[in-house]
Amino acid sequence: MQLRRILFYNLLGFALIASWWLPTALAWTRLDDDVFYFFNQFIGPAYPYWTEFLAALNTRTFDLAMFAVLMVMMFFAMHRDPRGSWQKWLAIGLVMSAVAALLGELLHQNLLAARPSPTLWHQDVNFLSEHTALAAKDEASNSFPSDHGLMAMVFASFMLRFADRLIASLAVALSVLVTLPRIMGGAHWVSDVYLGSLAIALVVLPWVLCNASISTLIRRLATFFDGACRRLGPVRSWPRRLYDQRGMLKRISAYNLAGVLLLLSWAVPHGILWTDLDDHLFWLFNAWISPENPHWADLLAVLNSRAFDAISFGILGLLFTLAMRRDTREDRVRHWTAIGVTMLITAGIVALITNEAISYGHPSPTRFFEHAARLTDIVSIPTKDSDANSFPGDHGLMLMVFAGFMLRFADRCIAGWSLAFVVLLSAPRILVGAHWFSDVYIGALSIALLLLPWVLCTPMAEGLTRAIRQALPRLPLRH
């Protein structure tokens, strides 16, 4: 047992508790109030994007999404462990779950203080639930300490103990990001998380994680799981050689971080910059839609018609065919047919997730502004110039799915053209006012950056393509 380390962590925990109970706690009180009022002023109709985004971060759906992220992080921790095995990490997961359950039970039975959340403590404040249709948590009758924060700290502590530095660092960062929405929404004070939960973690968890018995317990559980699997039959080893694990995780983290930052740049109160850009671009192009520019109006009508959508699909099909013909492998027809099926499956899943998980939406510019020029009032060609819910740009998102697969499987020339056509084929919807600029380059692009890397930067796309290729009959076409 590492007694000195345990006592050091315990001392830090008791120092935190003392800083709250002693008269100097007035500093914590001022910090709690200042942080609450700072974020509370941005909740309301003046900041609709931020309010909806914050509400989404305080829903049960987001909690489940974060739980899935933790499971994925444990998966990568297992793959990056040179001495690890699935039996060992299954044992770690079970022990961690047991510790979290015991701490949660202890918290709810003995430690929860009758301290209302900021939204219940202060009067005349903004509630998330009053400005959104989402079932967001914005209050708690007993908010000290934060059980949400304590569970995140249990996960981060176990990763610090058993995972490598990269995974441990990501776990610590995630524990901060997961707890921030409760503070920004007013469901917890700052001290509920970074004093109450952190103090409990520093007092209790070192006695578990700095104890040699925990390693013995995990080793015995891993041995038990290994023996049980051997009795059931041979188990195939994980296909580690299919991809570079370190590079894969870095790429996924980079793309996901870019997607999150893009969303934050649009959702935070300073996202008014994107709103100004949306307005300026819309009015710039809308001024050209008039009977005085009949040729331009007819061109826009054609570019936003169903017939041109079919032409766009044909352009993507032509790029796909060129990518196949530039492939030098012998069974390229079967290979690219399998890629196409995988791409269609991915596009369907992305569309399903987007339609089911995203409840936020807004009308297109032509419906938002009363005096906007409408293309359908000028031309006789059946065309699309408005949408009741234009966020995110589904047209642009499907183009980005295609471009992502070309970047993964095609050569540089085809990949470059696919990126160019993302811009060219999504532009007509923006030019005519059927989508805001941010619908495509914030909404669709952020979704693509968050979802597609988990398919294209992992063995998932390659494995599904291989399985479909093997299931296809051997086609005689080779040229």
Side-chain angles (χ1 to χ4, degrees):
M1 181 180 293
Q2 304 172 21
L3 190 57
R4 289 185 179 179
R5 183 172 295 182
I6 293 173
L7 294 177
F8 173 73
Y9 289 131
N10 285 181
L11 181 61
L12 288 179
F14 286 121
L16 273 177
I17 295 172
S19 71
W20 186 69
W21 283 106
L22 294 175
T24 55
L26 186 60
W28 281 106
T29 304
R30 286 198 298 267
L31 179 63
D32 280 339
D33 290 342
D34 290 344
V35 171
F36 168 68
Y37 278 115
F38 174 78
F39 289 113
N40 193 253
Q41 65 181 324
F42 299 124
I43 297 175
Y47 304 99
Y49 297 157
W50 172 251
T51 301
E52 290 290 339
F53 180 70
L54 190 58
L57 295 183
N58 282 280
T59 58
R60 290 294 183 188
T61 302
F62 182 75
D63 293 344
L64 292 175
M66 286 298 99
F67 179 78
V69 171
L70 299 184
M71 295 300 101
V72 171
M73 193 174 293
M74 279 197 66
F75 174 80
F76 284 116
M78 176 187 68
H79 275 274
R80 293 172 61 85
D81 187 354
R83 299 181 180 178
S85 61
W86 69 265
Q87 295 94 334
K88 173 188 172 181
W89 280 92
L90 176 60
I92 292 173
L94 290 177
V95 173
M96 179 173 60
S97 301
V99 172
L102 290 173
L103 266 181
E105 186 66 20
L106 177 66
L107 183 70
H108 287 89
Q109 295 296 330
N110 302 299
L111 298 178
L112 275 179
R115 181 194 189 191
S117 61
T119 48
L120 296 179
W121 178 265
H122 294 291
Q123 297 180 352
D124 300 325
V125 298
N126 300 317
F127 283 83
L128 273 175
S129 54
E130 295 177 356
H131 301 285
T132 179
L134 299 177
K137 180 177 181 180
D138 58 2
E139 63 180 45
S141 56
N142 297 327
S143 70
F144 182 89
S146 167
D147 54 349
H148 197 72
L150 185 58
M151 296 302 105
M153 290 173 190
V154 169
F155 178 83
S157 299
F158 270 79
M159 293 301 102
L160 285 167
R161 173 65 178 81
F162 294 104
D164 62 6
R165 289 184 179 181
L166 177 61
I167 298 296
S169 301
L170 290 175
V172 172
L174 189 65
S175 67
V176 177
L177 294 175
V178 165
T179 53
L180 278 178
R182 292 289 196 268
I183 296 172
M184 293 187 291
H188 285 294
W189 305 88
V190 172
S191 59
D192 292 340
V193 179
Y194 301 114
L195 192 151
S197 298
L198 183 57
I200 294 173
L202 288 171
V203 171
V204 177
L205 292 180
W207 292 95
V208 177
L209 296 173
C210 298
N211 194 325
S213 300
I214 188 73
S215 298
T216 303
L217 176 61
I218 289 173
R219 186 168 56 253
R220 290 180 178 178
L221 282 174
T223 303
F224 170 76
F225 293 141
D226 184 60
C229 286
R230 289 181 184 278
R231 296 188 194 97
L232 293 174
V235 180
R236 292 184 178 181
S237 61
W238 293 94
R240 296 191 178 194
R241 296 181 180 178
L242 286 177
Y243 56 96
D244 178 10
Q245 298 158 17
R246 288 179 178 269
M248 180 188 68
L249 185 58
K250 288 180 180 179
R251 286 193 294 272
I252 293 174
S253 300
Y255 289 130
N256 283 183
L257 180 61
V260 170
L261 291 177
L262 201 60
L263 272 180
L264 287 176
S265 72
W266 170 79
V268 297
H270 299 89
I272 193 71
L273 295 174
W274 285 109
T275 304
D276 289 342
L277 180 62
D278 279 339
D279 292 347
H280 289 323
L281 287 177
F282 169 70
W283 287 115
L284 172 65
F285 296 122
N286 193 252
W288 299 346
I289 300 176
S290 68
E292 298 176 358
N293 300 308
H295 299 310
W296 174 249
D298 288 339
L299 177 62
L300 281 184
V302 170
L303 293 180
N304 285 280
S305 63
R306 291 293 183 187
F308 186 76
D309 290 344
I311 294 174
S312 300
F313 185 79
I315 292 173
L316 300 184
L318 177 62
L319 276 178
F320 189 86
T321 304
L322 289 175
M324 179 180 65
R325 292 189 64 84
R326 292 167 68 93
D327 194 343
T328 57
R329 74 185 68 209
E330 190 173 335
D331 62 339
R332 61 188 181 189
V333 175
R334 278 204 314 157
H335 177 70
W336 280 91
T337 301
I339 292 174
V341 174
T342 303
M343 180 168 57
L344 292 176
I345 293 173
T346 303
I349 294 174
V350 169
L352 181 63
I353 293 174
T354 303
N355 294 331
E356 296 296 329
I358 299 178
S359 57
Y360 172 75
H362 56 215
S364 63
T366 47
R367 295 198 180 193
F368 183 80
F369 296 109
E370 295 181 0
H371 303 293
R374 299 285 292 268
L375 190 63
T376 50
D377 296 334
I378 301 173
V379 301
S380 58
I381 302 173
T383 188
K384 178 178 181 178
D385 65 353
S386 66
D387 199 330
N389 183 10
S390 67
F391 183 89
D394 52 354
H395 194 71
L397 182 57
M398 294 301 104
L399 292 171
M400 291 173 190
V401 171
F402 178 85
F405 270 80
M406 293 302 101
L407 286 167
R408 173 64 179 82
F409 292 103
D411 59 20
R412 290 185 178 181
C413 179
I414 299 298
W417 277 108
S418 66
L419 289 175
F421 277 112
V422 169
V423 178
L424 293 175
L425 297 180
S426 63
R429 293 288 197 269
I430 299 172
L431 294 174
V432 80
H435 284 296
W436 302 89
F437 179 83
S438 61
D439 291 340
V440 178
Y441 297 106
I442 297 296
L445 182 56
S446 60
I447 292 171
L449 289 171
L450 290 172
L451 296 182
L452 290 181
W454 294 98
V455 178
L456 298 174
C457 297
T458 66
M460 187 179 298
E462 184 70 30
L464 184 56
T465 299
R466 183 182 298 105
I468 294 173
R469 186 175 69 236
Q470 293 174 353
L472 290 173
R474 291 193 172 275
L475 302 176
L477 300 176
R478 294 186 179 181
H479 302 286

